[in-house]
Amino acid sequence: MCPPETALQPPQVLLLVGVPVASALLLVQCLRWHCPWWLLRPCRKPDCQEEPAAPTILPPEFEVPGRCAPATLPEMAAFYQELHTPTQGQTVTRQLMHKLLVFSAREVDHRGGCLLLQDMGISLLIPPGAVAVGRQERVSLILVWDLSDAPSLSRAQGLVSPVVACGPHGASFLKPCILTFKHCAQQPGHARTYSSNTCLLDAKAWRPLGRPGAHSSLDECRIQLSHFSLYTCVLEAPASQAARKWLQLAVFCSPLAPGQTHLQLRVYFLNNTPCALQWAVTNEQPHGGRLRGPCQLFDFTGARGDQCLKLKYISEGWENVDDSSSQLVPHLHIWHGKCPFRSFCFRRKAANENEDCSALTNEIIVTMHTFQDAPSDAQGEDGKKSGEKVFGGPVASWWKLADTPHCRVGLETKYMEILRFQASEEGSWAVPPPASQSPPCNRLPPELFEQLRMLLEPTSISGNDWRRLASHLGLCGMKIRFLSCQRSPAAAILELFEEQNGSLQELHCLMTSMERLDCASVIQSYLNMTPRGSPAVAHSHSWENQGRELDEKL
């Protein structure tokens, strides 16, 4: 008897039951492999430290900071537009797109032009003929005060100049333009220029530009540009030679006012370049800090250790509030040009009943010593062993730092420097001069001052440079030799002209009599741009005649 057709055989039952079960098991395993972990949270071990996060919110350690967020196209367009808008000869300091920038911009034509960043030692010269006749080009010169834009350096490399950008990026001219900026390398042959062929907001790609020393003189880098980009200078000494650069130590503090109980003193370790000092001045403005006295030069060596700053003397009536009298500055912070500073805080001592400290606390005198820590082998560069006395006399009768917790035991070598600071309760600090007070002398416009300085600074074989102007101002040979030792003799002689209350017309006549028609032309161009009725110029008939004669000579 045959079984009915509707009855199921055992193999068929196994297929009908086994396939769904196997599929379900396979599906569960796939879910465990591929599903997001937050769906399976109940199955995780209780000691797991991970916490679920909302799908649209990143945890704090993965959040992109505001300054690193990519800029939108309108923001980038506004950024570059502001940088390339003519500044009418002024140097502008502004924070744009989280970058602290100092810039100047102008339009140039076939006659060329010069851009200067006031007090920064940075200039850009567009020579005549660099722009085609009938065209006008907007150019900008930018100092980047943002360390994130500097090259990534090794321990053997040191940053010795600012980061400078010429804009617009990629612009090229018919003739090479000349970019100049200061560096602080002791050996110009060890200073190597770098270029990043990128826009200012893009990730930088620094590459060496020529061999070391190709673009550097005693204290200046001079680069002929085929197109505009970013530039800086890095110290790279051969392995057999010690790399050195010049620092300037600048002391800042707020005014010492009557009744003031505390005073904070800050010492900056800066590259010996004008823009580094101006950065410190700008950084001190919100705190009311002012530069006290001239900067102290320091010979900083790449092969030595950290920098130690030690407080040695405080005048009577004051005491040190800080726990330690010595502070350490990491070597790489100075070597890579990060402009570090260290501060001390002082307070007036409370007077006893039978003692009057008012006469002692109306001024403060501080003496500090600073030096680089000895090398790791405790052997000084001059061959003396650690602990051997280097200096004699009452000023430096000490040489170890065993009693200072924040400075390693080291040797104060010949590179030790002594910083002296003195401040008293000065009325000129506490009370600004009246607004109606007349200026002590005529001041040349900053842009004109820098242009004349650049023209008069180079030494001429005939002597028709700043020395001839000094002779016209009545300086003798000894004073001229003294000026030649200054950082910028041309700037010193122009400041002397200002102190003598000289006018622009008188300076123009001097330049014409010296046959320095280039300087006279710069002065005339400024006077022609000065609004009528301005006190900087007197539009007399004789001056107009002199201008016509100058045009004929040119």
Side-chain angles (χ1 to χ4, degrees):
M1 183 174 178
C2 296
E5 294 181 0
T6 57
L8 295 177
Q9 299 295 329
Q12 293 176 338
V13 172
L14 290 176
L15 287 175
L16 291 176
V17 176
V19 170
V21 171
S23 300
L25 292 175
L26 182 61
L27 179 61
V28 170
Q29 187 65 32
C30 290
L31 288 175
R32 292 182 61 85
W33 287 345
H34 298 288
C35 277
W37 63 267
W38 50 271
L39 290 177
L40 304 175
R41 185 184 177 190
C43 301
R44 298 181 64 86
K45 296 181 179 180
D47 59 347
C48 180
Q49 300 298 321
E50 271 188 291
E51 292 293 334
T56 57
I57 301 177
L58 290 174
E61 60 269 22
F62 294 107
E63 286 182 357
V64 180
R67 63 178 303 168
C68 299
T72 63
L73 290 179
E75 289 175 339
M76 295 174 62
F79 173 82
Y80 290 115
Q81 181 179 2
E82 184 162 3
L83 286 180
H84 300 148
T85 301
T87 59
Q88 309 303 322
Q90 301 298 317
T91 298
V92 180
T93 302
R94 193 166 299 167
Q95 186 166 358
L96 302 173
M97 298 292 294
H98 306 287
K99 294 180 182 293
L100 185 58
L101 306 175
V102 182
F103 60 94
S104 179
R106 62 170 295 178
E107 290 185 346
V108 295
D109 54 17
H110 67 280
R111 295 172 295 182
C114 182
L115 283 83
L116 302 162
L117 297 184
Q118 182 183 354
D119 300 327
M120 303 296 173
I122 305 172
S123 65
L124 176 63
L125 175 65
I126 295 90
V131 178
V133 177
R135 290 183 57 86
Q136 282 192 339
E137 298 287 346
R138 286 190 177 184
V139 294
S140 59
L141 179 61
I142 308 162
L143 166 63
V144 184
W145 269 343
D146 189 351
L147 288 177
S148 63
D149 288 327
S152 298
L153 303 177
S154 66
R155 295 187 64 90
Q157 295 175 310
L159 190 66
V160 291
S161 81
V163 174
V164 182
C166 300
H169 167 70
S172 59
F173 296 85
L174 301 178
K175 291 184 179 180
C177 302
I178 300 176
L179 172 66
T180 58
F181 53 88
K182 297 292 184 179
H183 71 79
C184 61
Q186 289 198 25
Q187 294 293 332
H190 298 166
R192 190 173 192 178
T193 54
Y194 274 67
S195 173
S196 177
N197 192 17
T198 56
C199 294
L200 194 54
L201 292 180
D202 294 344
K204 309 303 179 292
W206 292 101
R207 298 288 185 273
L209 190 65
R211 56 180 178 81
H215 306 98
S216 55
S217 60
L218 181 62
D219 64 343
E220 190 174 65
C221 290
R222 186 180 180 91
I223 311 173
Q224 289 192 349
L225 306 182
S226 58
H227 68 284
F228 283 179
S229 188
L230 279 79
Y231 305 91
T232 191
C233 186
V234 175
L235 182 60
E236 296 180 352
S240 59
Q241 301 183 28
R244 301 174 180 270
K245 72 175 182 177
W246 288 111
L247 297 183
Q248 53 182 336
L249 310 183
V251 181
F252 287 83
C253 78
S254 57
L256 180 59
Q260 183 177 351
T261 58
H262 289 73
L263 181 72
Q264 189 181 54
L265 192 70
R266 293 172 292 277
V267 181
Y268 285 78
F269 297 82
L270 309 168
N271 282 349
N272 188 31
T273 57
C275 60
L277 180 59
Q278 291 303 317
W279 178 88
V281 172
T282 303
N283 191 55
E284 285 289 322
Q285 286 178 354
H287 313 290
R290 302 185 186 180
L291 181 64
R292 295 297 292 175
C295 296
Q296 179 75 52
L297 287 182
F298 188 88
D299 180 9
F300 194 80
T301 307
R304 295 183 63 82
D306 298 335
Q307 189 80 11
C308 188
L309 181 65
K310 186 173 183 181
L311 179 65
K312 296 304 297 181
Y313 172 78
I314 313 175
S315 56
E316 293 185 36
W318 292 85
E319 60 183 353
N320 182 23
V321 178
D322 300 317
D323 296 334
S324 174
S325 62
S326 60
Q327 299 191 37
L328 202 66
V329 186
H331 171 270
L332 287 183
H333 288 188
I334 301 177
W335 193 236
H336 290 171
K338 295 185 178 180
C339 303
F341 70 88
R342 291 297 180 265
S343 62
F344 290 96
C345 186
F346 309 106
R347 67 184 171 197
R348 301 178 193 259
K349 288 183 178 179
N352 298 329
E353 295 181 359
N354 300 326
E355 183 181 3
D356 183 14
C357 292
S358 59
L360 301 176
T361 58
N362 60 356
E363 71 172 3
I364 179 172
I365 303 174
V366 178
T367 300
M368 292 174 289
H369 292 188
T370 182
F371 60 94
Q372 262 189 284
D373 202 0
S376 58
D377 58 357
Q379 184 79 11
E381 292 183 355
D382 55 357
K384 297 183 181 293
K385 296 180 180 179
S386 179
E388 182 178 351
K389 190 173 181 180
V390 178
F391 288 94
V395 174
S397 60
W398 40 268
W399 59 94
K400 279 193 176 182
L401 294 178
D403 59 337
T404 56
H406 292 86
C407 288
R408 296 187 297 271
V409 176
L411 176 67
E412 296 182 7
T413 68
K414 61 183 179 180
Y415 300 109
M416 179 193 68
E417 297 288 346
I418 300 173
L419 300 176
R420 288 188 176 91
F421 163 82
Q422 180 176 359
S424 58
E425 295 178 354
E426 304 175 14
S428 60
W429 276 41
V431 181
S436 60
Q437 183 179 357
S438 59
C441 60
N442 291 331
R443 294 297 181 188
L444 298 176
E447 182 183 21
L448 179 60
F449 185 97
E450 288 296 325
Q451 288 179 322
L452 293 175
R453 183 191 66 80
M454 291 183 61
L455 293 173
L456 293 172
E457 195 81 80
T459 302
S460 172
I461 299 178
S462 62
N464 194 13
D465 46 37
W466 65 269
R467 295 169 294 176
R468 182 72 57 83
L469 178 59
S471 299
H472 279 280
L473 296 180
L475 298 186
C476 60
M478 182 179 298
K479 293 181 179 179
I480 293 178
R481 286 193 295 272
F482 172 77
L483 287 177
S484 64
C485 300
Q486 304 301 309
R487 177 192 294 272
S488 175
I493 196 62
L494 288 174
E495 290 173 356
L496 177 62
F497 177 81
E498 292 177 334
E499 293 174 0
Q500 295 181 357
N501 287 317
S503 65
L504 289 181
Q505 290 81 4
E506 293 171 351
L507 186 58
H508 175 269
C509 292
L510 279 175
M511 295 301 174
T512 305
S513 62
M514 291 169 51
E515 296 184 354
R516 288 301 302 261
L517 301 184
D518 53 347
C519 296
S521 177
V522 168
I523 299 173
Q524 182 188 2
S525 299
Y526 178 80
L527 290 171
N528 290 341
M529 291 187 300
T530 305
R532 186 172 298 272
S534 172
V537 56
H539 294 277
S540 62
H541 181 69
S542 60
W543 164 243
E544 293 176 356
N545 292 336
Q546 291 178 5
R548 296 192 189 100
E549 294 175 2
L550 180 62
D551 290 336
E552 294 175 358
K553 292 181 180 180
L554 292 175

